[in-house]
Amino acid sequence: MTGSTSNNNQEVKASDGCRWLRPASDTESFFESFQGRGMFLTAYWVTLHSAELLLEEDVRLALHHLYRKVPPLRTCFRKREDTLWLCEMEEEAVDFQVVEDADPERLMEQMMGQGYASHDGPLWRARLVRGTGGEDCPSEELRASFPHTSHLVLGNHHGIADGTSNVRTYNLLLRILNDVIAGRPIDDQEQLGEILTNEEFQAKTKVKMSELEKDPETLERLLNEKRAFDGSVPLLLQCYPPTEGTEVKTELLIEELDEDTTRRFIQRCKKEGVSVGSAFTALVNGATIELAKRAGRTDETFKLTESHALDLRQYLSGDASKHLGVHITVLTNSVEAPAAWQESFWDYARTLHHSIHTKLSQDGHLLDSCLRELLKSTHITGKVTSTKLPSQDSVCTNMRNLDALWRDDGQEHVQATRVSRGASNLTAAHFFHTFRKRFLYSLCFSRHVLPGDIAEALTRAIFDNLRSLV
């Protein structure tokens, strides 16, 4: 079963007041090793509509209540001899500022490049942006009841929370803010959940490893395939090589579909028998092929590789709804796509969909985890550098319908009408989900991997093709 920090015998009180919780996991250590260099940091942009102008003191008070109710927000990382530990901060601290007339998108981009004081904390920050900052289009009824627009831009060290933790946390923030504005009492003892380790997933990985070791010939073949993949060059990098000396800095492009286009896209996916995630991944791959052909490539087929972020909670036994922290892994997928992919798009999307879901049904995520463990030279050992070029063509992180995690009942003073998310990274990462019946997308990329004009062309091609299909 998955373990909790609260019942861990290693939890002790340090002489400086910090509470040592447990040694950091491999995943937490990985994110900590990069965050000081402005990599693998998450950021969210939440557009708010309120009945009255939001008061700074109300938002600040809500953030302090959030700190007390969400265990990951109270954590920091410290070295104990040669081991990195997860600790609880000795003093309550919230990094909050009000910013006037800023561009929330650029602020989100900036936040993805700012590291944290891991030793002391806090490992998260919040900025309230006043002014328009880019209006969204909520329903006429909602606009009438909540006429004032503002924005929260929130960031965190990826070692303390994944997307599911963040969405649940920020939904709780809105609920607390409504309670603060209404003057309702708030129980700080009631916690959103627990910081849990991935012991169950690790146990499953060990079982898978034992199975692999019983067939050395197959294992060696799989390792050779993994080595070949790790040494491969993504298609767009082949076509548009980066300029030497380009800064490693994640930039951000955001797109969204209106309600009608979102509805038609979802309905078409259902009709064609593919998930929205598979169809959109196929569009990402198709746009990549389109740009490669513009650069002069004449291949008849292209084999593109994606890494899909997975929420481990859905693979654990029992109720994992209270699991906070980092519970993610990746699944690698690769299928052939025809150069004339638009002509047979839904056939290609079905092939991709079948490949992904077959791998999931056959514990492909466990296999990938085992192979990474066996080839640690480029995974979670600190040997990966911030200038390393990626092997995969894309990273896809699909949180599906955020409305399932973000409830707006009882939010009578302020509601969220748009949520955009992203994270700094070493490749081109595609973040997408639906929220309030709209499909929202962020491309997070570094110019040392993808030039800005190519990133913009890629995004245009994805959405031009999507609209032509529905």
Side-chain angles (χ1 to χ4, degrees):
M1 293 297 292
T2 305
S4 165
T5 60
S6 61
N7 57 20
N8 192 320
N9 292 331
Q10 293 170 312
E11 182 181 300
V12 293
K13 187 74 172 284
S15 58
D16 60 1
C18 172
R19 192 156 60 103
W20 301 84
L21 300 176
R22 57 165 170 77
S25 68
D26 283 348
T27 304
E28 291 164 344
S29 298
F30 173 81
F31 287 130
E32 167 57 16
S33 70
F34 277 94
Q35 72 89 21
R37 289 174 271 170
M39 299 303 297
F40 300 113
L41 301 169
T42 58
Y44 286 66
W45 167 15
V46 183
T47 300
L48 304 176
H49 281 261
S50 54
E52 303 292 339
L53 282 173
L54 287 182
L55 301 178
E56 176 182 348
E57 55 266 33
D58 286 345
V59 178
R60 186 181 301 277
L61 180 56
L63 288 167
H64 277 274
H65 282 296
L66 191 74
Y67 174 98
R68 298 166 198 157
K69 293 173 70 64
V70 182
L73 302 186
R74 303 193 292 268
T75 57
C76 57
F77 290 102
R78 295 190 179 186
K79 275 289 187 72
R80 194 176 193 182
E81 296 178 348
D82 293 328
T83 302
L84 184 69
W85 277 63
L86 186 69
C87 303
E88 186 173 277
M89 295 164 56
E90 57 241 63
E91 294 182 1
E92 181 172 316
V94 172
D95 182 354
F96 170 61
Q97 295 175 18
V98 176
V99 184
E100 300 290 344
D101 296 318
D103 181 344
E105 186 172 336
R106 298 284 73 83
L107 188 58
M108 180 180 169
E109 186 177 83
Q110 177 184 345
M111 203 171 281
M112 289 191 296
Q114 294 177 328
Y116 295 86
S118 294
H119 183 273
D120 299 308
L123 303 187
W124 60 291
R125 53 177 63 100
R127 302 290 181 262
L128 175 64
V129 181
R130 298 195 187 281
T132 57
E135 291 285 350
D136 66 336
C137 301
S139 67
E140 189 173 327
E141 179 183 355
L142 192 147
R143 265 200 316 273
S145 300
F146 302 90
H148 300 278
T149 305
S150 54
H151 307 268
L152 272 175
V153 181
L154 304 127
N156 65 275
H157 185 309
H158 210 337
I160 67 168
D162 57 19
T164 300
S165 284
N166 284 327
V167 170
R168 293 188 62 230
T169 296
Y170 300 145
N171 177 232
L172 176 62
L173 172 59
L174 265 291
R175 300 177 75 80
I176 292 173
L177 182 56
N178 275 277
D179 287 341
V180 167
I181 295 171
R184 290 188 287 265
I186 298 167
D187 181 5
D188 289 336
Q189 298 303 310
E190 183 182 15
Q191 300 293 288
L192 180 65
E194 297 179 276
I195 312 173
L196 299 171
T197 57
N198 291 320
E199 292 176 12
E200 184 177 341
F201 176 70
Q202 292 164 5
K204 290 181 178 180
T205 303
K206 287 181 180 178
V207 171
K208 187 69 174 180
M209 187 80 79
S210 298
E211 293 174 0
L212 290 169
E213 290 170 346
K214 292 176 183 177
D215 187 352
E217 186 175 334
T218 299
L219 177 57
E220 186 58 31
R221 175 180 59 79
L222 291 170
L223 287 171
N224 286 335
E225 291 173 358
K226 179 75 170 94
R227 291 187 188 100
F229 164 70
D230 286 345
S232 63
V233 179
L235 181 59
L236 286 182
L237 269 173
Q238 296 174 34
C239 299
Y240 305 94
T243 303
E244 188 174 347
T246 303
E247 182 183 8
V248 181
K249 177 180 178 293
T250 299
E251 299 184 37
L252 177 68
L253 293 172
I254 291 178
E255 291 285 342
E256 65 180 82
L257 298 178
D258 58 42
E259 286 188 29
D260 180 61
T261 308
T262 299
R263 177 184 54 77
R264 287 188 286 116
F265 179 46
I266 293 172
Q267 287 180 345
R268 184 67 188 272
C269 291
K270 289 180 179 178
K271 177 183 176 183
E272 299 292 345
V274 300
S275 68
V276 171
S278 295
F280 192 77
T281 302
L283 283 164
V284 169
N285 289 347
T288 301
I289 292 170
E290 191 171 313
L291 293 186
K293 289 164 67 177
R294 291 183 197 175
R297 290 291 289 265
T298 58
D299 312 45
E300 292 185 2
T301 62
F302 295 87
K303 192 169 186 177
L304 301 177
T305 302
E306 325 100 29
S307 289
H308 296 269
L310 301 179
D311 179 6
L312 285 175
R313 294 167 185 83
Q314 59 188 316
Y315 303 103
L316 301 179
S317 60
D319 181 10
S321 61
K322 296 289 187 180
H323 291 28
L324 300 179
V326 188
H327 298 270
I328 52 175
T329 190
V330 294
L331 175 76
T332 302
N333 183 65
S334 183
V335 297
E336 291 280 352
W341 62 275
Q342 289 106 327
E343 298 172 11
S344 56
F345 174 76
W346 292 108
D347 287 336
Y348 168 55
R350 277 187 286 271
T351 300
L352 188 148
H353 176 89
H354 177 74
S355 176
I356 292 172
H357 287 268
T358 298
K359 286 186 176 182
L360 287 173
S361 67
Q362 297 174 353
D363 293 334
H365 60 301
L366 295 178
L367 174 60
D368 281 2
S369 181
C370 290
L371 296 179
R372 286 194 299 271
E373 178 69 20
L374 291 167
L375 297 175
K376 268 189 170 181
S377 60
T378 55
H379 293 277
I380 316 181
T381 63
K383 294 183 180 179
V384 181
T385 67
S386 59
T387 56
K388 181 183 182 296
L389 297 176
S391 302
Q392 70 271 54
D393 289 280
S394 64
V395 172
C396 296
T397 165
N398 172 22
M399 286 196 68
R400 300 177 180 84
N401 182 7
L402 289 195
D403 294 311
L405 293 171
W406 195 298
R407 302 181 357 253
D408 61 9
D409 53 300
Q411 297 184 1
E412 73 273 34
H413 295 283
V414 55
Q415 292 194 9
T417 57
R418 178 175 55 196
V419 178
S420 294
R421 59 193 180 90
S424 46
N425 59 83
L426 297 170
T427 184
H430 305 264
F431 294 78
F432 50 97
H433 58 263
T434 57
F435 182 65
R436 286 189 177 270
K437 301 179 182 178
R438 282 177 290 162
F439 184 90
L440 297 124
Y441 165 82
S442 303
L443 172 62
C444 298
F445 68 99
S446 175
R447 288 178 185 263
H448 90 288
V449 170
L450 196 63
D453 59 335
I454 303 304
E456 291 173 1
L458 179 68
T459 302
R460 281 198 304 272
I462 292 170
F463 282 89
D464 285 348
N465 284 303
L466 186 155
R467 291 183 176 94
S468 73
L469 288 166
V470 299

